Amino acid sequence: MALVDSLDAALADMLPRVGDPTSAQRAADAVRTFSGAVGQLDSFLLQLQELQPAPRGPDAAQKQEVEELKAELQEKDRLIAHAKEQIARWQAVIQQQEQLQEATLFAGLGS
């Protein structure tokens, strides 16, 4: 968080202040501070990226893609199963409504 704080502080120091005679010098120093903090942040992100294992070898990319496709298929299968459940539920509701209408219609005819 210290990097982010130093970026914020440097950015705030770059803004002009009314009545500040050293505003230009302060802004120039802030630009240097900001640039240094950006360099440190860049180095940190590069180190973080190196910690994450990247797929290596000719088959690694294909294996990763196959895993992603399998995950996608599983999600689609789940969605299809959910849709089938919804269809079955709505079919039952429709059937109940049809039976209720028939009972109401026949009750009206018998009167």
Side-chain angles (χ1 to χ4, degrees):
M1 277 309 203
L3 283 176
V4 174
D5 292 339
S6 64
L7 286 170
D8 285 342
L11 189 59
D13 285 343
M14 284 186 222
L15 299 174
R17 294 182 186 158
V18 178
D20 185 5
T22 61
S23 180
Q25 180 61 37
R26 185 180 41 77
D29 291 341
V31 168
R32 283 190 289 279
T33 303
F34 186 81
S35 178
V38 167
Q40 289 176 357
L41 183 61
D42 187 40
S43 296
F44 173 76
L45 292 175
L46 287 173
Q47 289 173 356
L48 188 63
Q49 186 178 12
E50 289 174 3
L51 291 177
Q52 295 178 350
R56 302 199 191 283
D59 295 337
Q62 281 183 331
K63 286 179 183 177
Q64 184 177 0
E65 187 173 345
V66 166
E67 291 302 317
E68 289 172 0
L69 290 172
K70 284 181 181 178
E72 184 178 338
L73 284 174
Q74 287 175 346
E75 177 65 12
K76 287 181 179 182
D77 287 342
R78 187 191 67 76
L79 291 171
I80 289 170
H82 179 71
K84 286 180 178 180
E85 291 171 5
Q86 294 294 321
I87 290 169
R89 187 175 67 91
W90 283 109
Q91 285 176 335
V93 169
I94 290 170
Q95 186 177 15
Q96 289 173 352
Q97 290 297 318
E98 287 174 346
Q99 290 172 352
L100 183 63
Q101 283 179 348
E102 287 177 11
T104 306
L105 179 63
F106 290 132
L109 291 176
S111 303

